[in-house]
């Protein structure tokens, strides 16, 4: 590490820590039920925040992209945490950096990503393309862990919209307003194309409090949105455990844990390039290390 800056040494040390954590996945894997993604059709990852898939299903994303299957990421919120645009813009860049790494693109980030606004129904949404992946950023306000929202964005949240405590919700950049929960569900439904491929698989967070307790309410709303979609159309779905991961046994192989670690570090390092204080791993190192060793999912009944 001689010649490295203090910040670079810190990053390198933490990379080693996370990779070492990935190496201690124990031999009880066979005892833990895990539903893996074996589909070669179109995969959709519908999540609330820009670091959700890396933490809770990162190895599945890597496997999907390595198989050659196209993938679409739908980010419901800006992940703003009640902060201004400098923060949530950085989170979007960090999510795309992770996607580029998962897709194993070796070109420079600026050369491998193209973005443009697209209109879906009556709503303008930012779409970015990375290799065989598309990412849609709806930029709705982060609802805070308990779903009550933040003052900066008038306490708007997905939870309050679904429960009809608010009648509409506006993107943090003012680009569009969804007039109801049904309007949002309809828009997301339009992003999930079941006509061009034989098989579609939707990955999202588990909405069940019994299976996935103590989770962020934005995570739960993502799962409930897919559950509402499934009432309208047949969708093969995987529900993933979120914050409760650390209460489960480690069940990832060394290779899978390293895959999760790699895509998460790509996200975290991009955040640090803008502001070293925005580093996610430093906030909860034990939790993030636990996430690298675990991925739990289930298939709901048709």
């Amino acid at each position: 590490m001689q010649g490295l800056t203090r910040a670079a040494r810190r990053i390198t040390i933490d990379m080693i820590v996370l990779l070492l954590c990935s190496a201690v996945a124990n031999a009880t894997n066979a005892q833990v039920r895990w539903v893996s993604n074996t589909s070669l059709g179109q995969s959709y990852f519908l999540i609330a925040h820009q670091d959700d898939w890396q933490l809770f299903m990162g190895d599945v994303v890597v496997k999907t992209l390595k198989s050659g299957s196209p993938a679409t990421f739908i980010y419901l919120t800006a992940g703003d945490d009640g902060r201004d645009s400098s923060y949530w813009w950085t989170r979007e860049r960090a999510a795309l950096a992770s996607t580029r790494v998962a897709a194993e693109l070796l070109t420079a980030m600026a050369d491998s990503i193209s973005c443009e606004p697209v209109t879906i129904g009556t709503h303008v949404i930012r779409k970015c393309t990375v290799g065989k992946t598309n990412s849609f950023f709806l930029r709705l306000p982060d609802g805070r862990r308990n779903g009550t929202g933040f003052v900066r964005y008038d306490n708007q949240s997905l939870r309050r919209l679904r429960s009809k405590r608010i009648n509409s919700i506006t993107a943090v950049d003012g680009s569009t307003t969804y007039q109801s929960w049904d309007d949002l569900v309809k828009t997301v439904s339009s992003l999930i194309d079941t006509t061009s491929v034989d098989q579609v698989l939707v990955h999202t967070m588990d909405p069940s409090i019994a299976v996935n307790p103590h989770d962020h309410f934005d995570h739960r709303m993502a799962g409930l949105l897919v559950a509402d979609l499934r009432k309208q159309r047949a969708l093969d779905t995987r529900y993933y455990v979120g914050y409760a991961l650390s209460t489960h046994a480690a069940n990832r192989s060394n290779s899978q844990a390293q895959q999760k670690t790699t895509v998460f570090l790509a996200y975290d390092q991009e955040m640090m390039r803008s502001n070293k204080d925005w580093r996610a791993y430093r906030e909860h190192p034990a939790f993030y290390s636990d996430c690298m060793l675990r991925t739990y999912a289930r298939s709901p009944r048709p």
Side-chain angles (χ1 to χ4, degrees), residues 110-135:
D111 296 333
S112 58
I113 298 174
S114 61
C115 298
E116 62 179 345
V118 295
T119 301
I120 307 296
T122 61
H123 302 292
V124 177
I125 299 173
R126 187 179 189 234
K127 175 186 176 182
C128 295
T129 300
V130 181
K132 290 186 177 181
T133 75
N134 291 316
S135 296

Side-chain angles (χ1 to χ4, degrees), residues 1-20:
M1 296 184 187
Q2 187 175 3
L4 294 178
T5 65
R6 181 177 299 177
R9 286 198 300 270
R10 183 69 261 168
I11 293 171
T12 304
I13 289 170
D14 288 328
M15 287 178 68
I16 293 171
V17 170
L18 282 174
L19 289 169
L20 285 174

Side-chain angles (χ1 to χ4, degrees), residues 13-74:
I13 289 170
D14 288 328
M15 287 178 68
I16 293 171
V17 170
L18 282 174
L19 289 169
L20 285 174
C21 286
S22 73
V24 300
N26 56 47
T28 63
N29 296 356
Q31 302 173 8
V32 182
R33 186 178 176 217
W34 156 244
V35 181
S36 65
N37 170 27
T38 57
S39 169
L40 292 179
Q42 174 78 40
S43 293
Y44 290 86
F45 297 89
L46 194 152
I47 54 269
H49 309 118
Q50 288 66 32
D51 62 350
D52 287 350
W53 65 262
Q54 299 91 324
L55 293 172
F56 308 125
M57 56 190 87
D59 54 313
V60 177
V61 170
V62 172
K63 180 179 179 180
T64 299
L65 297 182
K66 281 188 174 183
S67 75
S69 174
T72 296
F73 299 87
I74 303 173

Side-chain angles (χ1 to χ4, degrees), residues 49 142-145 214-221 243:
H49 309 118
D142 188 324
R144 195 189 294 263
R145 181 166 181 169
H214 315 301
D215 208 7
H216 196 297
F217 257 97
D218 285 348
H219 297 174
R220 201 174 307 287
M221 292 301 107
Y243 286 171

Side-chain angles (χ1 to χ4, degrees), residues 170-206:
T170 299
V172 296
D173 61 352
S175 57
T176 191
T177 297
Y178 297 85
Q179 299 301 330
S180 65
W181 177 259
D182 289 341
D183 185 13
L184 177 61
V185 172
K186 181 180 179 181
T187 303
V188 172
S189 181
S190 296
L191 296 174
I192 300 177
D193 179 15
T194 57
T195 60
S196 61
V197 292
D198 293 332
Q199 187 172 6
V200 168
L201 183 58
V202 179
H203 305 259
T204 191
M205 303 306 295
D206 201 317

